Every structure is written in C-alpha cells, then in structure tokens.
Amino acid sequence: MELHICHLYPDILNLYGDRGNIFTMKRRLEARRIGVQIDECSIGQPLDIDKYDLFFIGGGQDFEQEVLLRDLAGSKGRDIRTAVEDEKVFLAICGGYQMLGQYYKTWDGSQMDFIGAINVHTIGAKERMIGNYMFRTTPESSGSVIVGFENHSGKTYLGEDVAPLGMVLKGFGNNGEDHTEGARCKNVFATYSHGPLLPKNPALCDFILQTALERKYDTCEPLGPLDDTLENSAHDYMEHRLMHG
Ligand code: GLN
C-alpha cells in the first residue's frame, strides 16, 4: 500500500510550521510500512490531481491568500474542486481552509472570491481570534479532543450541507459565535488549528490516513497502534492547561 500526498503552495501558505503535519503523516505511514510519496505544487506549476490521494494546504495571511487568486482562477481551482468532488482527502488549515470556501470579505470591505470547493464563507472581523484552543471532533471525524493554536481575523460560517469538524471546548473556532470548529464535507478535513495539529493529535492523523487508504483500496485493515507516549503527554499537558490553567 502507498499514499501519494500533494503539498499545495508550500512556499506561500506556510505559517507556524504547518509543514509539520506532512512530516507527521509520513512518519506514521512509514512506521506501518506503508509507502508514501510527497510532491509539492506551487504557483505556475501544473497539478495532476489523478496522481494524488491526499492534499495538504497550510495557512497564510490575507496578503498571501491574495497572491494565490490568479493561480487558482486558472485550471488549478477547477482541478481542486474536482478532487474534492471525487472525495479525495484534503487537510486544510486556516487560510487554506478559507480558500476552499466561497469567498472572504475582509474587515476593511474588500472581497476575495475563492474556489467554492466547499460551501463555507468567511467574513473578516477587526479583532483577531488568537490563542491556544481546544475542540472535540464529531464521531464522523474520529471523536477525539484536539488541542491546537488559532490566529485568524476571518469568521467562517458553514453552509447547510457542510458539517463542522468539531465543537469548541475552549477558544473561538470558526467564528466565536456558534461553537463550531472547522469543516467536514466529503473527505475534506478543514480546521483553524495551526502547526502542531497532527503531531499533538495522533488520533486525528490516523483517522485522516485511514480515510485516504480506505478510499484508495476500498477495504483496508485498521491502522495498528504506535507508541504515542510522547505525543499523548504533549496533548494531555495542553488539555489540562486549557481546562484548568
Ligand atoms: N488571513 C486569514 C485570517 O486572518 C487566515 C490567517 C491564517 O491562516 N492564520 O483570517
């Protein structure tokens, strides 16, 4: 078995070590002796979606998102939409999450039209939503407690056909209003949680990998356990700090 991963715009959308999610997926696949190939695709480079099982998009500021608009307006935006329709697996963080949605209206009134691969939209607020935070994913997305870090001014609202990735336990999540966090639609996993998402939350990492393997190979044995002592102690420390700190 093998997964082929595409890291989209790694040089543009690369906040807070979001790339660590790629390292974590690679390490957890290799530990199970499952093959993994990782390619990068950035501005001006053609994207062959048929090659890939899993796409990763990190976060970026409004400026970086704007830089990508022209590249997405060509065939790449259409190809990403097709890959989502085709139930390829996506993990998208913050700016990358917003970019999969319909549009982002910034707080000073300008609007970026994004690719509309998932039915969500984002409205900028003057006050940023920043800090360590925590949410519980829905049973359809592993049903685990996720500890993470968010930093965004965009408030994202989910369309009727889009489920949240989870519900906020501490912090802001999608918009600080409806307690939802992230989005789950087809095989898109989208979240505001930056950098240490998968390293500190191995259950979600395995769930995403399992989803990609099942889609590719139809049936697939559940991934065997790994020694997650360090990962779990980092997770549990943050969970305790957020609950009682
Ligand atoms: N530019 C977006 C916002 O501030 C995304 C930021 C990010 O990816 N951290 O809402």
Side-chain angles (χ1 to χ4, degrees), residues 13 15-16 18 58-65 93-98 104 106 112 122-125 128-129 150-156 192 194:
L13 298 176
L15 283 179
Y16 307 118
D18 284 338
Q61 309 289 359
D62 298 4
F63 173 75
E64 280 93 33
Q65 290 174 297
I93 314 288
C94 201
Y97 164 27
Q98 296 172 351
Y104 174 29
T106 59
M112 290 185 242
T122 302
I123 309 283
R128 299 191 70 80
M129 289 156 273
E150 60 182 330
N151 182 357
H152 51 112
S153 76
K155 294 184 168 192
T156 296
Y192 271 108
H194 270 293

PDB file of all heavy atoms in Angstrom, residues 13 15-16 18 58-65 93-98 104 106 112 122-125 128-129 150-156 192 194, ligand 1:
ATOM      1  N   LEU A  13       1.789  29.296   1.637  1.00  0.00           N
ATOM      2  CA  LEU A  13       0.940  29.041   2.814  1.00  0.00           C
ATOM      3  C   LEU A  13       1.741  28.168   3.786  1.00  0.00           C
ATOM      4  O   LEU A  13       1.714  26.943   3.710  1.00  0.00           O
ATOM      5  CB  LEU A  13      -0.355  28.339   2.386  1.00  0.00           C
ATOM      6  CG  LEU A  13      -1.243  29.139   1.424  1.00  0.00           C
ATOM      7  CD1 LEU A  13      -2.450  28.318   0.979  1.00  0.00           C
ATOM      8  CD2 LEU A  13      -1.719  30.453   2.054  1.00  0.00           C
ATOM      9  N   LEU A  15       2.486  29.031   7.497  1.00  0.00           N
ATOM     10  CA  LEU A  15       2.568  29.666   8.823  1.00  0.00           C
ATOM     11  C   LEU A  15       2.842  28.652   9.926  1.00  0.00           C
ATOM     12  O   LEU A  15       2.403  27.510   9.849  1.00  0.00           O
ATOM     13  CB  LEU A  15       1.236  30.351   9.134  1.00  0.00           C
ATOM     14  CG  LEU A  15       0.955  31.682   8.447  1.00  0.00           C
ATOM     15  CD1 LEU A  15      -0.422  32.167   8.871  1.00  0.00           C
ATOM     16  CD2 LEU A  15       2.006  32.717   8.803  1.00  0.00           C
ATOM     17  N   TYR A  16       3.485  29.086  10.977  1.00  0.00           N
ATOM     18  CA  TYR A  16       3.576  28.333  12.242  1.00  0.00           C
ATOM     19  C   TYR A  16       3.953  26.859  12.074  1.00  0.00           C
ATOM     20  O   TYR A  16       3.430  25.993  12.772  1.00  0.00           O
ATOM     21  CB  TYR A  16       2.240  28.378  12.994  1.00  0.00           C
ATOM     22  CG  TYR A  16       1.693  29.743  13.216  1.00  0.00           C
ATOM     23  CD1 TYR A  16       0.473  30.119  12.669  1.00  0.00           C
ATOM     24  CD2 TYR A  16       2.387  30.679  13.983  1.00  0.00           C
ATOM     25  CE1 TYR A  16      -0.045  31.386  12.879  1.00  0.00           C
ATOM     26  CE2 TYR A  16       1.877  31.948  14.190  1.00  0.00           C
ATOM     27  CZ  TYR A  16       0.671  32.297  13.638  1.00  0.00           C
ATOM     28  OH  TYR A  16       0.164  33.533  13.836  1.00  0.00           O
ATOM     29  N   ASP A  18       3.182  24.704   9.755  1.00  0.00           N
ATOM     30  CA  ASP A  18       2.100  23.823   9.284  1.00  0.00           C
ATOM     31  C   ASP A  18       2.655  22.597   8.565  1.00  0.00           C
ATOM     32  O   ASP A  18       2.018  21.550   8.511  1.00  0.00           O
ATOM     33  CB  ASP A  18       1.161  24.579   8.327  1.00  0.00           C
ATOM     34  CG  ASP A  18       0.220  25.531   9.071  1.00  0.00           C
ATOM     35  OD1 ASP A  18      -0.010  25.327  10.272  1.00  0.00           O
ATOM     36  OD2 ASP A  18      -0.276  26.475   8.430  1.00  0.00           O
ATOM     37  N   GLY A  58      -1.676  24.568   3.874  1.00  0.00           N
ATOM     38  CA  GLY A  58      -1.420  25.243   5.142  1.00  0.00           C
ATOM     39  C   GLY A  58      -2.105  26.612   5.205  1.00  0.00           C
ATOM     40  O   GLY A  58      -2.922  26.969   4.358  1.00  0.00           O
ATOM     41  N   GLY A  59      -1.731  27.382   6.213  1.00  0.00           N
ATOM     42  CA  GLY A  59      -2.353  28.692   6.427  1.00  0.00           C
ATOM     43  C   GLY A  59      -1.496  29.834   5.903  1.00  0.00           C
ATOM     44  O   GLY A  59      -0.296  29.664   5.640  1.00  0.00           O
ATOM     45  N   GLY A  60      -2.099  30.999   5.736  1.00  0.00           N
ATOM     46  CA  GLY A  60      -1.368  32.185   5.278  1.00  0.00           C
ATOM     47  C   GLY A  60      -2.153  33.436   5.610  1.00  0.00           C
ATOM     48  O   GLY A  60      -3.347  33.365   5.896  1.00  0.00           O
ATOM     49  N   GLN A  61      -1.480  34.549   5.575  1.00  0.00           N
ATOM     50  CA  GLN A  61      -2.156  35.832   5.854  1.00  0.00           C
ATOM     51  C   GLN A  61      -3.015  36.239   4.661  1.00  0.00           C
ATOM     52  O   GLN A  61      -2.890  35.679   3.570  1.00  0.00           O
ATOM     53  CB  GLN A  61      -1.119  36.926   6.103  1.00  0.00           C
ATOM     54  CG  GLN A  61      -0.067  36.581   7.135  1.00  0.00           C
ATOM     55  CD  GLN A  61      -0.638  36.543   8.541  1.00  0.00           C
ATOM     56  OE1 GLN A  61      -1.820  36.793   8.745  1.00  0.00           O
ATOM     57  NE2 GLN A  61       0.187  36.208   9.509  1.00  0.00           N
ATOM     58  N   ASP A  62      -3.820  37.299   4.863  1.00  0.00           N
ATOM     59  CA  ASP A  62      -4.664  37.800   3.765  1.00  0.00           C
ATOM     60  C   ASP A  62      -3.813  38.075   2.531  1.00  0.00           C
ATOM     61  O   ASP A  62      -4.213  37.772   1.411  1.00  0.00           O
ATOM     62  CB  ASP A  62      -5.353  39.111   4.171  1.00  0.00           C
ATOM     63  CG  ASP A  62      -6.278  38.936   5.363  1.00  0.00           C
ATOM     64  OD1 ASP A  62      -6.332  37.830   5.931  1.00  0.00           O
ATOM     65  OD2 ASP A  62      -6.944  39.924   5.726  1.00  0.00           O
ATOM     66  N   PHE A  63      -2.615  38.662   2.754  1.00  0.00           N
ATOM     67  CA  PHE A  63      -1.754  39.020   1.624  1.00  0.00           C
ATOM     68  C   PHE A  63      -1.406  37.798   0.786  1.00  0.00           C
ATOM     69  O   PHE A  63      -1.512  37.803  -0.450  1.00  0.00           O
ATOM     70  CB  PHE A  63      -0.476  39.703   2.131  1.00  0.00           C
ATOM     71  CG  PHE A  63       0.530  39.942   1.042  1.00  0.00           C
ATOM     72  CD1 PHE A  63       0.345  40.957   0.108  1.00  0.00           C
ATOM     73  CD2 PHE A  63       1.651  39.129   0.914  1.00  0.00           C
ATOM     74  CE1 PHE A  63       1.253  41.157  -0.915  1.00  0.00           C
ATOM     75  CE2 PHE A  63       2.569  39.322  -0.102  1.00  0.00           C
ATOM     76  CZ  PHE A  63       2.370  40.347  -1.021  1.00  0.00           C
ATOM     77  N   GLU A  64      -0.978  36.734   1.453  1.00  0.00           N
ATOM     78  CA  GLU A  64      -0.599  35.516   0.718  1.00  0.00           C
ATOM     79  C   GLU A  64      -1.800  34.901  -0.005  1.00  0.00           C
ATOM     80  O   GLU A  64      -1.669  34.399  -1.119  1.00  0.00           O
ATOM     81  CB  GLU A  64       0.002  34.464   1.657  1.00  0.00           C
ATOM     82  CG  GLU A  64       1.454  34.697   2.007  1.00  0.00           C
ATOM     83  CD  GLU A  64       1.616  35.483   3.282  1.00  0.00           C
ATOM     84  OE1 GLU A  64       0.775  35.338   4.183  1.00  0.00           O
ATOM     85  OE2 GLU A  64       2.589  36.251   3.381  1.00  0.00           O
ATOM     86  N   GLN A  65      -2.957  34.983   0.654  1.00  0.00           N
ATOM     87  CA  GLN A  65      -4.149  34.428   0.002  1.00  0.00           C
ATOM     88  C   GLN A  65      -4.434  35.189  -1.295  1.00  0.00           C
ATOM     89  O   GLN A  65      -4.782  34.597  -2.312  1.00  0.00           O
ATOM     90  CB  GLN A  65      -5.359  34.527   0.943  1.00  0.00           C
ATOM     91  CG  GLN A  65      -5.260  33.580   2.126  1.00  0.00           C
ATOM     92  CD  GLN A  65      -6.391  33.813   3.118  1.00  0.00           C
ATOM     93  OE1 GLN A  65      -6.509  34.883   3.711  1.00  0.00           O
ATOM     94  NE2 GLN A  65      -7.231  32.820   3.297  1.00  0.00           N
ATOM     95  N   ILE A  93      -5.683  24.033   6.463  1.00  0.00           N
ATOM     96  CA  ILE A  93      -5.538  24.787   7.715  1.00  0.00           C
ATOM     97  C   ILE A  93      -5.811  26.279   7.465  1.00  0.00           C
ATOM     98  O   ILE A  93      -5.219  26.872   6.548  1.00  0.00           O
ATOM     99  CB  ILE A  93      -4.099  24.665   8.262  1.00  0.00           C
ATOM    100  CG1 ILE A  93      -3.576  23.221   8.233  1.00  0.00           C
ATOM    101  CG2 ILE A  93      -3.975  25.278   9.663  1.00  0.00           C
ATOM    102  CD1 ILE A  93      -4.160  22.275   9.211  1.00  0.00           C
ATOM    103  N   CYS A  94      -6.621  26.876   8.287  1.00  0.00           N
ATOM    104  CA  CYS A  94      -6.825  28.325   8.383  1.00  0.00           C
ATOM    105  C   CYS A  94      -6.968  29.009   7.011  1.00  0.00           C
ATOM    106  O   CYS A  94      -7.999  28.866   6.370  1.00  0.00           O
ATOM    107  CB  CYS A  94      -5.708  28.936   9.225  1.00  0.00           C
ATOM    108  SG  CYS A  94      -6.154  30.547   9.897  1.00  0.00           S
ATOM    109  N   GLY A  95      -5.927  29.726   6.536  1.00  0.00           N
ATOM    110  CA  GLY A  95      -6.034  30.391   5.237  1.00  0.00           C
ATOM    111  C   GLY A  95      -6.341  29.401   4.122  1.00  0.00           C
ATOM    112  O   GLY A  95      -7.087  29.713   3.184  1.00  0.00           O
ATOM    113  N   GLY A  96      -5.786  28.190   4.210  1.00  0.00           N
ATOM    114  CA  GLY A  96      -6.060  27.145   3.210  1.00  0.00           C
ATOM    115  C   GLY A  96      -7.504  26.665   3.294  1.00  0.00           C
ATOM    116  O   GLY A  96      -8.133  26.348   2.281  1.00  0.00           O
ATOM    117  N   TYR A  97      -8.033  26.627   4.506  1.00  0.00           N
ATOM    118  CA  TYR A  97      -9.446  26.275   4.749  1.00  0.00           C
ATOM    119  C   TYR A  97     -10.342  27.332   4.114  1.00  0.00           C
ATOM    120  O   TYR A  97     -11.245  27.027   3.327  1.00  0.00           O
ATOM    121  CB  TYR A  97      -9.630  26.168   6.265  1.00  0.00           C
ATOM    122  CG  TYR A  97     -11.024  26.172   6.847  1.00  0.00           C
ATOM    123  CD1 TYR A  97     -12.130  25.739   6.136  1.00  0.00           C
ATOM    124  CD2 TYR A  97     -11.220  26.577   8.179  1.00  0.00           C
ATOM    125  CE1 TYR A  97     -13.399  25.733   6.717  1.00  0.00           C
ATOM    126  CE2 TYR A  97     -12.469  26.555   8.764  1.00  0.00           C
ATOM    127  CZ  TYR A  97     -13.569  26.141   8.028  1.00  0.00           C
ATOM    128  OH  TYR A  97     -14.808  26.126   8.608  1.00  0.00           O
ATOM    129  N   GLN A  98     -10.053  28.614   4.434  1.00  0.00           N
ATOM    130  CA  GLN A  98     -10.878  29.696   3.878  1.00  0.00           C
ATOM    131  C   GLN A  98     -10.876  29.654   2.351  1.00  0.00           C
ATOM    132  O   GLN A  98     -11.890  29.893   1.702  1.00  0.00           O
ATOM    133  CB  GLN A  98     -10.340  31.050   4.354  1.00  0.00           C
ATOM    134  CG  GLN A  98     -10.435  31.240   5.861  1.00  0.00           C
ATOM    135  CD  GLN A  98      -9.721  32.498   6.342  1.00  0.00           C
ATOM    136  OE1 GLN A  98      -9.014  33.166   5.587  1.00  0.00           O
ATOM    137  NE2 GLN A  98      -9.903  32.829   7.622  1.00  0.00           N
ATOM    138  N   TYR A 104     -14.000  35.416   0.908  1.00  0.00           N
ATOM    139  CA  TYR A 104     -13.551  36.017   2.180  1.00  0.00           C
ATOM    140  C   TYR A 104     -13.703  37.531   2.041  1.00  0.00           C
ATOM    141  O   TYR A 104     -13.062  38.140   1.186  1.00  0.00           O
ATOM    142  CB  TYR A 104     -12.084  35.631   2.420  1.00  0.00           C
ATOM    143  CG  TYR A 104     -11.402  36.272   3.612  1.00  0.00           C
ATOM    144  CD1 TYR A 104     -12.103  36.661   4.736  1.00  0.00           C
ATOM    145  CD2 TYR A 104     -10.023  36.450   3.606  1.00  0.00           C
ATOM    146  CE1 TYR A 104     -11.460  37.222   5.825  1.00  0.00           C
ATOM    147  CE2 TYR A 104      -9.366  37.015   4.695  1.00  0.00           C
ATOM    148  CZ  TYR A 104     -10.092  37.401   5.799  1.00  0.00           C
ATOM    149  OH  TYR A 104      -9.439  37.956   6.872  1.00  0.00           O
ATOM    150  N   THR A 106     -12.896  40.829   3.728  1.00  0.00           N
ATOM    151  CA  THR A 106     -12.035  41.276   4.826  1.00  0.00           C
ATOM    152  C   THR A 106     -12.726  42.398   5.616  1.00  0.00           C
ATOM    153  O   THR A 106     -13.688  43.004   5.126  1.00  0.00           O
ATOM    154  CB  THR A 106     -10.682  41.790   4.297  1.00  0.00           C
ATOM    155  OG1 THR A 106     -10.934  42.859   3.400  1.00  0.00           O
ATOM    156  CG2 THR A 106      -9.908  40.694   3.596  1.00  0.00           C
ATOM    157  N   MET A 112     -12.324  38.673  -1.526  1.00  0.00           N
ATOM    158  CA  MET A 112     -11.585  37.718  -2.357  1.00  0.00           C
ATOM    159  C   MET A 112     -12.538  36.572  -2.670  1.00  0.00           C
ATOM    160  O   MET A 112     -13.063  35.941  -1.753  1.00  0.00           O
ATOM    161  CB  MET A 112     -10.388  37.146  -1.588  1.00  0.00           C
ATOM    162  CG  MET A 112      -9.282  38.144  -1.338  1.00  0.00           C
ATOM    163  SD  MET A 112      -7.895  37.283  -0.557  1.00  0.00           S
ATOM    164  CE  MET A 112      -7.818  38.142   1.004  1.00  0.00           C
ATOM    165  N   THR A 122     -16.342  33.367   4.571  1.00  0.00           N
ATOM    166  CA  THR A 122     -15.607  33.959   5.692  1.00  0.00           C
ATOM    167  C   THR A 122     -15.759  35.482   5.662  1.00  0.00           C
ATOM    168  O   THR A 122     -15.634  36.105   4.606  1.00  0.00           O
ATOM    169  CB  THR A 122     -14.116  33.570   5.594  1.00  0.00           C
ATOM    170  OG1 THR A 122     -14.031  32.137   5.591  1.00  0.00           O
ATOM    171  CG2 THR A 122     -13.308  34.112   6.753  1.00  0.00           C
ATOM    172  N   ILE A 123     -16.032  36.048   6.833  1.00  0.00           N
ATOM    173  CA  ILE A 123     -16.187  37.500   6.968  1.00  0.00           C
ATOM    174  C   ILE A 123     -15.140  37.971   7.977  1.00  0.00           C
ATOM    175  O   ILE A 123     -15.086  37.462   9.101  1.00  0.00           O
ATOM    176  CB  ILE A 123     -17.596  37.867   7.519  1.00  0.00           C
ATOM    177  CG1 ILE A 123     -18.715  37.178   6.721  1.00  0.00           C
ATOM    178  CG2 ILE A 123     -17.782  39.370   7.598  1.00  0.00           C
ATOM    179  CD1 ILE A 123     -19.036  37.775   5.388  1.00  0.00           C
ATOM    180  N   GLY A 124     -14.342  38.951   7.588  1.00  0.00           N
ATOM    181  CA  GLY A 124     -13.290  39.439   8.479  1.00  0.00           C
ATOM    182  C   GLY A 124     -13.845  40.249   9.653  1.00  0.00           C
ATOM    183  O   GLY A 124     -14.817  40.992   9.502  1.00  0.00           O
ATOM    184  N   ALA A 125     -13.217  40.104  10.803  1.00  0.00           N
ATOM    185  CA  ALA A 125     -13.593  40.906  11.974  1.00  0.00           C
ATOM    186  C   ALA A 125     -12.372  41.739  12.360  1.00  0.00           C
ATOM    187  O   ALA A 125     -11.235  41.352  12.064  1.00  0.00           O
ATOM    188  CB  ALA A 125     -13.984  39.998  13.127  1.00  0.00           C
ATOM    189  N   ARG A 128      -8.778  40.020  16.148  1.00  0.00           N
ATOM    190  CA  ARG A 128      -8.330  38.682  15.761  1.00  0.00           C
ATOM    191  C   ARG A 128      -8.706  37.665  16.834  1.00  0.00           C
ATOM    192  O   ARG A 128      -8.796  38.002  18.017  1.00  0.00           O
ATOM    193  CB  ARG A 128      -6.803  38.673  15.561  1.00  0.00           C
ATOM    194  CG  ARG A 128      -6.328  39.606  14.471  1.00  0.00           C
ATOM    195  CD  ARG A 128      -4.882  39.363  14.140  1.00  0.00           C
ATOM    196  NE  ARG A 128      -4.677  38.099  13.470  1.00  0.00           N
ATOM    197  CZ  ARG A 128      -4.891  37.899  12.169  1.00  0.00           C
ATOM    198  NH1 ARG A 128      -5.321  38.878  11.401  1.00  0.00           N
ATOM    199  NH2 ARG A 128      -4.670  36.718  11.635  1.00  0.00           N
ATOM    200  N   MET A 129      -8.865  36.454  16.404  1.00  0.00           N
ATOM    201  CA  MET A 129      -9.134  35.352  17.336  1.00  0.00           C
ATOM    202  C   MET A 129      -7.825  34.575  17.475  1.00  0.00           C
ATOM    203  O   MET A 129      -7.424  33.870  16.545  1.00  0.00           O
ATOM    204  CB  MET A 129     -10.255  34.475  16.771  1.00  0.00           C
ATOM    205  CG  MET A 129     -11.603  35.180  16.831  1.00  0.00           C
ATOM    206  SD  MET A 129     -12.811  34.593  15.626  1.00  0.00           S
ATOM    207  CE  MET A 129     -12.372  35.631  14.243  1.00  0.00           C
ATOM    208  N   GLU A 150      -4.923  28.836  17.313  1.00  0.00           N
ATOM    209  CA  GLU A 150      -5.622  29.552  16.234  1.00  0.00           C
ATOM    210  C   GLU A 150      -5.183  31.007  16.194  1.00  0.00           C
ATOM    211  O   GLU A 150      -4.827  31.584  17.224  1.00  0.00           O
ATOM    212  CB  GLU A 150      -7.146  29.462  16.420  1.00  0.00           C
ATOM    213  CG  GLU A 150      -7.645  30.049  17.733  1.00  0.00           C
ATOM    214  CD  GLU A 150      -9.156  29.924  17.932  1.00  0.00           C
ATOM    215  OE1 GLU A 150      -9.910  29.918  16.950  1.00  0.00           O
ATOM    216  OE2 GLU A 150      -9.575  29.856  19.104  1.00  0.00           O
ATOM    217  N   ASN A 151      -5.178  31.585  15.003  1.00  0.00           N
ATOM    218  CA  ASN A 151      -4.869  33.003  14.828  1.00  0.00           C
ATOM    219  C   ASN A 151      -5.480  33.457  13.512  1.00  0.00           C
ATOM    220  O   ASN A 151      -4.913  33.258  12.450  1.00  0.00           O
ATOM    221  CB  ASN A 151      -3.353  33.226  14.807  1.00  0.00           C
ATOM    222  CG  ASN A 151      -3.002  34.702  14.680  1.00  0.00           C
ATOM    223  OD1 ASN A 151      -3.892  35.551  14.551  1.00  0.00           O
ATOM    224  ND2 ASN A 151      -1.709  35.005  14.710  1.00  0.00           N
ATOM    225  N   HIS A 152      -6.663  34.057  13.612  1.00  0.00           N
ATOM    226  CA  HIS A 152      -7.352  34.477  12.386  1.00  0.00           C
ATOM    227  C   HIS A 152      -8.251  35.660  12.674  1.00  0.00           C
ATOM    228  O   HIS A 152      -8.721  35.828  13.806  1.00  0.00           O
ATOM    229  CB  HIS A 152      -8.175  33.325  11.800  1.00  0.00           C
ATOM    230  CG  HIS A 152      -9.110  32.637  12.762  1.00  0.00           C
ATOM    231  ND1 HIS A 152     -10.474  32.708  12.686  1.00  0.00           N
ATOM    232  CD2 HIS A 152      -8.861  31.842  13.847  1.00  0.00           C
ATOM    233  CE1 HIS A 152     -11.034  31.990  13.654  1.00  0.00           C
ATOM    234  NE2 HIS A 152     -10.071  31.465  14.390  1.00  0.00           N
ATOM    235  N   SER A 153      -8.473  36.484  11.624  1.00  0.00           N
ATOM    236  CA  SER A 153      -9.468  37.537  11.792  1.00  0.00           C
ATOM    237  C   SER A 153     -10.743  37.143  11.066  1.00  0.00           C
ATOM    238  O   SER A 153     -11.813  37.674  11.340  1.00  0.00           O
ATOM    239  CB  SER A 153      -8.938  38.881  11.285  1.00  0.00           C
ATOM    240  OG  SER A 153      -8.971  38.914   9.888  1.00  0.00           O
ATOM    241  N   GLY A 154     -10.636  36.191  10.145  1.00  0.00           N
ATOM    242  CA  GLY A 154     -11.824  35.737   9.420  1.00  0.00           C
ATOM    243  C   GLY A 154     -12.729  34.898  10.306  1.00  0.00           C
ATOM    244  O   GLY A 154     -12.264  34.046  11.070  1.00  0.00           O
ATOM    245  N   LYS A 155     -14.034  35.193  10.211  1.00  0.00           N
ATOM    246  CA  LYS A 155     -15.037  34.354  10.876  1.00  0.00           C
ATOM    247  C   LYS A 155     -15.701  33.524   9.795  1.00  0.00           C
ATOM    248  O   LYS A 155     -16.269  34.080   8.838  1.00  0.00           O
ATOM    249  CB  LYS A 155     -16.102  35.221  11.552  1.00  0.00           C
ATOM    250  CG  LYS A 155     -15.576  36.049  12.709  1.00  0.00           C
ATOM    251  CD  LYS A 155     -16.721  36.792  13.383  1.00  0.00           C
ATOM    252  CE  LYS A 155     -16.246  37.368  14.708  1.00  0.00           C
ATOM    253  NZ  LYS A 155     -17.369  37.838  15.530  1.00  0.00           N
ATOM    254  N   THR A 156     -15.625  32.209   9.942  1.00  0.00           N
ATOM    255  CA  THR A 156     -16.145  31.330   8.890  1.00  0.00           C
ATOM    256  C   THR A 156     -17.508  30.778   9.289  1.00  0.00           C
ATOM    257  O   THR A 156     -17.726  30.379  10.434  1.00  0.00           O
ATOM    258  CB  THR A 156     -15.137  30.195   8.621  1.00  0.00           C
ATOM    259  OG1 THR A 156     -13.937  30.797   8.123  1.00  0.00           O
ATOM    260  CG2 THR A 156     -15.653  29.204   7.602  1.00  0.00           C
ATOM    261  N   TYR A 192      -9.116  25.515  11.823  1.00  0.00           N
ATOM    262  CA  TYR A 192      -8.303  26.692  12.125  1.00  0.00           C
ATOM    263  C   TYR A 192      -7.043  26.331  12.917  1.00  0.00           C
ATOM    264  O   TYR A 192      -6.244  27.207  13.230  1.00  0.00           O
ATOM    265  CB  TYR A 192      -9.140  27.734  12.889  1.00  0.00           C
ATOM    266  CG  TYR A 192      -9.855  28.667  11.937  1.00  0.00           C
ATOM    267  CD1 TYR A 192     -11.220  28.611  11.730  1.00  0.00           C
ATOM    268  CD2 TYR A 192      -9.122  29.592  11.199  1.00  0.00           C
ATOM    269  CE1 TYR A 192     -11.851  29.457  10.821  1.00  0.00           C
ATOM    270  CE2 TYR A 192      -9.728  30.436  10.289  1.00  0.00           C
ATOM    271  CZ  TYR A 192     -11.086  30.360  10.107  1.00  0.00           C
ATOM    272  OH  TYR A 192     -11.686  31.198   9.192  1.00  0.00           O
ATOM    273  N   HIS A 194      -3.482  25.448  13.794  1.00  0.00           N
ATOM    274  CA  HIS A 194      -2.201  25.584  13.089  1.00  0.00           C
ATOM    275  C   HIS A 194      -1.169  24.537  13.506  1.00  0.00           C
ATOM    276  O   HIS A 194      -1.456  23.628  14.270  1.00  0.00           O
ATOM    277  CB  HIS A 194      -1.623  26.983  13.345  1.00  0.00           C
ATOM    278  CG  HIS A 194      -2.080  27.964  12.326  1.00  0.00           C
ATOM    279  ND1 HIS A 194      -1.707  27.887  11.012  1.00  0.00           N
ATOM    280  CD2 HIS A 194      -2.888  29.035  12.425  1.00  0.00           C
ATOM    281  CE1 HIS A 194      -2.254  28.880  10.344  1.00  0.00           C
ATOM    282  NE2 HIS A 194      -2.986  29.588  11.175  1.00  0.00           N
TER     283      HIS A 194
HETATM  284  N1  GLN B   1      -5.896  35.523   6.583  1.00  0.00           N
HETATM  285  C1  GLN B   1      -6.749  34.760   7.339  1.00  0.00           C
HETATM  286  C2  GLN B   1      -7.325  35.417   8.593  1.00  0.00           C
HETATM  287  O1  GLN B   1      -6.662  36.167   9.302  1.00  0.00           O
HETATM  288  C3  GLN B   1      -6.042  33.467   7.658  1.00  0.00           C
HETATM  289  C4  GLN B   1      -4.954  33.558   8.696  1.00  0.00           C
HETATM  290  C5  GLN B   1      -4.207  32.308   8.914  1.00  0.00           C
HETATM  291  O2  GLN B   1      -4.086  31.418   8.044  1.00  0.00           O
HETATM  292  N2  GLN B   1      -3.614  32.221  10.091  1.00  0.00           N
HETATM  293  O3  GLN B   1      -8.454  35.174   8.877  1.00  0.00           O
END
